[in-house]
Every structure is written in structure tokens, then in C-alpha cells.
């Protein structure tokens, strides 16, 4: 059994910062690749950033230069540092990770989502 638990969301003023965490627990060896998405009600889920097993990263144009995705392999945790937040960054943020399990197989898991609200 593997779980992804997201944390770090909340209410922040425009220009502020938040750091989201996505922690994997259970029968895992490591997180292979991970992606942060976000979704606003009534709209499609949008890719925000991803990190590969070799630590290559990529970002949506809308967050380049403001957001940074990173990982701590020892903690099986992926982070999303969000700076210079804008009201249009308001959304529920989801983590998706490809996890290498103790069985030797890789599976994709989703977190439950964490709300980020940027408002004055």
C-alpha cells in the first residue's frame, strides 16, 4: 500500500510564497518521477511542473521563474516552492508520482490535493 500525502497549501497574499510537499509512504523503494498539477473548478487539470528520475525539470510557461520543483530522495518527498504568487495561481494542487515499490514494480499514484488561495 502506497500513499501520497500533500501538504503546505493555504491562503497567501499576492507576491507571497508557499512550499507544497508531497510525501510518499508505504511499501516503496523510491519516487521515480513526479508531477505537480493544479485545477480550478470548471477547468481541466493543468500541468504545473515535473521532475524526472534524473532530476530534469520542466515547467508550465505560466510559472517559469516563480516555481521550483525539487525532491528529497531520503525522505521520499517532492516539493513545489512557489514564489511571487498571483491570484491566478489559486487552485487545488495535486501531486502525481511514479513510485518504485518494494515489489520492483512501478505504479502511478495521486495525492488528495491541497488548496492554494492567493488573495488580498
Amino acid at each position: 500500500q502506497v500513499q501520497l500525502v500533500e501538504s503546505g497549501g493555504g491562503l497567501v497574499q499576492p507576491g507571497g510564497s508557499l512550499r507544497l510537499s508531497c510525501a510518499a509512504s508505504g511499501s516503496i523503494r523510491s519516487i521515480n518521477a513526479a508531477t505537480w498539477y493544479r485545477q480550478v473548478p470548471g477547468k481541466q487539470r493543468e500541468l504545473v511542473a515535473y521532475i524526472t528520475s534524473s532530476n530534469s525539470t520542466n515547467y508550465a510557461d505560466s510559472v517559469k521563474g516563480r516555481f521550483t520543483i525539487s525532491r528529497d530522495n531520503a525522505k521520499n518527498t517532492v516539493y513545489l516552492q512557489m514564489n511571487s504568487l498571483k491570484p491566478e495561481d489559486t487552485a487545488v494542487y495535486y501531486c502525481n508520482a511514479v513510485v518504485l515499490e518494494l515489489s520492483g514494480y512501478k505504479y502511478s499514484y495521486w495525492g488528495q490535493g491541497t488548496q492554494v488561495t492567493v488573495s488580498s
Side-chain angles (χ1 to χ4, degrees):
Q1 189 87 15
V2 173
Q3 283 190 319
L4 289 184
V5 178
E6 296 142 349
S7 60
L11 173 64
V12 64
Q13 291 188 340
S17 298
L18 284 174
R19 188 177 79 157
L20 305 183
S21 299
C22 173
S25 63
S27 304
I28 67 172
R29 293 187 186 179
S30 63
I31 293 177
N32 193 12
T35 306
W36 284 97
Y37 293 85
R38 65 187 181 188
Q39 189 168 24
V40 175
K43 292 190 176 181
Q44 284 192 327
R45 195 166 288 190
E46 172 192 21
L47 187 150
V48 176
Y50 70 79
I51 186 166
T52 69
S53 57
S54 58
N55 288 330
S56 294
T57 59
N58 204 354
Y59 300 89
D61 287 343
S62 58
V63 306
K64 278 181 183 175
R66 300 188 298 121
F67 290 12
T68 303
I69 189 170
S70 62
R71 61 198 296 162
D72 185 332
N73 291 331
K75 295 182 179 180
N76 288 319
T77 300
V78 177
Y79 303 98
L80 185 68
Q81 178 67 44
M82 305 186 296
N83 299 327
S84 302
L85 282 161
K86 304 175 181 180
E88 51 263 41
D89 295 318
T90 296
V92 178
Y93 284 71
Y94 296 92
C95 173
N96 174 267
V98 175
V99 172
L100 175 60
E101 297 192 1
L102 293 178
S103 63
Y105 292 99
K106 295 178 184 177
Y107 295 98
S108 175
Y109 292 92
W110 286 91
Q112 80 286 358
T114 185
Q115 176 71 46
V116 171
T117 302
V118 184
S119 175
S120 54

